[in-house]
Amino acid sequence: MNRNYQKELEKLLAQQESNGQVPRLFLHACCAPCSSYVLEYLSRYFSITVFFYNPNISPKEEYTKRVEEIRRMIGEMSFEHPVEFLEGEYCPQDFYEMAKGMEDIPEGGERCFGCYRMRMEEAARLAQKGGYDYFTTTLSISPLKNAAKINEIGEELGEIYKVSHLPSDFKKKNGYKRSIELSAQYGLYRQNYCGCVFSRRNPDETEKNKKN
């Protein structure tokens, strides 16, 4: 049975509001455009630490540009509850070690799932260490990302690290559309590839898939 992660999230948020709670959320972020709507949405309900951990991004100049953009965006947006920023370690070799043997797998396959897990696991680990109530990732806002797999990984990591995974499918309820609007409003840099050298090989194909 297909799960509706957006409805699960809405139910959880309604319960929190009725209890007057403002839990702490450790939010893995892949880039400023994807984070824009997620922060606008979730900052009404959570105190958030945005965790930028993306060793998959290549080249270094691209990584630096994305870090600068998300810092700027957080500084310019207004939030109901506090939003802080934390940058993880940039070690591309960790990504290449994870991807070894999967270099030729098409985008959206096992290599991408491994990349989701690598980044989400670091978020779960630090969420546990920091005593956060929840962790999640902005990745599910992308029409090109497998939300079911992202949530499956998140729930597994939640069990391992004993911190609750916040269910998400942020593309729902026009979330992706709203991220485009916010990107225009704040003049955010919108990259044309996910981040790694493999996704960069054929950005034209990525754009084609996005339209389908």
Side-chain angles (χ1 to χ4, degrees):
M1 185 179 75
N2 292 331
R3 290 170 59 183
N4 188 320
Y5 295 103
Q6 176 61 31
K7 285 190 176 179
E8 290 182 24
L9 174 59
E10 289 173 1
K11 182 178 179 181
L12 186 151
L13 296 178
Q15 290 173 344
Q16 288 180 178
E17 272 200 308
S18 66
N19 294 331
Q21 299 174 336
V22 184
R24 297 171 68 221
L25 171 65
F26 200 73
L27 175 67
H28 166 262
C30 54
C31 63
C34 289
S35 303
S36 59
Y37 163 73
V38 177
L39 287 173
E40 180 185 66
Y41 179 29
L42 294 184
S43 65
R44 289 176 281 169
Y45 307 99
F46 297 94
S47 173
I48 302 174
T49 295
V50 177
F51 179 49
F52 190 87
Y53 173 66
N54 299 289
N56 57 306
I57 296 177
S58 179
K60 177 66 181 296
E61 292 76 15
E62 177 73 17
Y63 173 86
T64 300
K65 189 169 187 176
R66 295 193 196 188
V67 172
E68 291 172 349
E69 278 294 88
I70 197 165
R71 285 184 182 273
R72 178 176 70 82
M73 182 198 72
I74 292 171
E76 293 180 6
M77 288 185 73
S78 297
F79 305 109
E80 186 168 336
H81 295 109
V83 173
E84 299 177 346
F85 178 79
L86 176 66
E87 182 180 355
E89 183 180 2
Y90 179 59
C91 186
Q93 190 57 36
D94 291 345
F95 169 74
Y96 292 119
E97 285 294 324
M98 181 282 301
K100 189 175 292 184
M102 297 189 287
E103 293 86 351
D104 295 326
I105 292 178
E107 284 292 288
E110 290 299 325
R111 185 186 64 245
C112 292
F113 298 162
C115 187
Y116 302 165
R117 184 183 181 91
M118 177 182 67
R119 292 180 283 170
M120 292 174 69
E121 182 160 16
E122 182 67 358
R125 185 183 71 83
L126 292 178
Q128 179 201 51
K129 184 178 179 180
Y132 286 78
D133 299 292
Y134 295 93
F135 81 99
T136 196
T137 177
T138 62
L139 288 168
S140 70
I141 197 171
S142 170
L144 299 176
K145 299 291 189 297
N146 187 321
K149 192 66 179 180
I150 289 167
N151 282 277
E152 177 188 316
I153 293 169
E155 289 169 4
E156 180 186 345
L157 293 172
E159 289 291 327
I160 293 171
Y161 289 93
K162 307 304 179 189
V163 58
S164 296
H165 173 256
L166 191 73
S168 73
D169 193 356
F170 294 122
K171 69 178 72 66
K172 295 291 182 68
K173 298 191 72 173
N174 291 318
Y176 179 68
K177 179 182 177 183
R178 179 59 179 158
S179 74
I180 295 174
E181 294 171 351
L182 287 167
S183 294
Q185 180 179 337
Y186 290 95
L188 299 177
Y189 163 62
R190 291 182 63 85
Q191 60 279 356
N192 68 345
Y193 67 105
C194 181
C196 74
V197 293
F198 309 111
S199 63
R200 197 183 187 198
R201 286 185 303 204
N202 197 351
D204 292 337
E205 186 66 22
T206 299
E207 289 300 312
K208 175 183 172 184
N209 291 339
K210 189 184 295 185
K211 295 172 185 175
N212 290 338

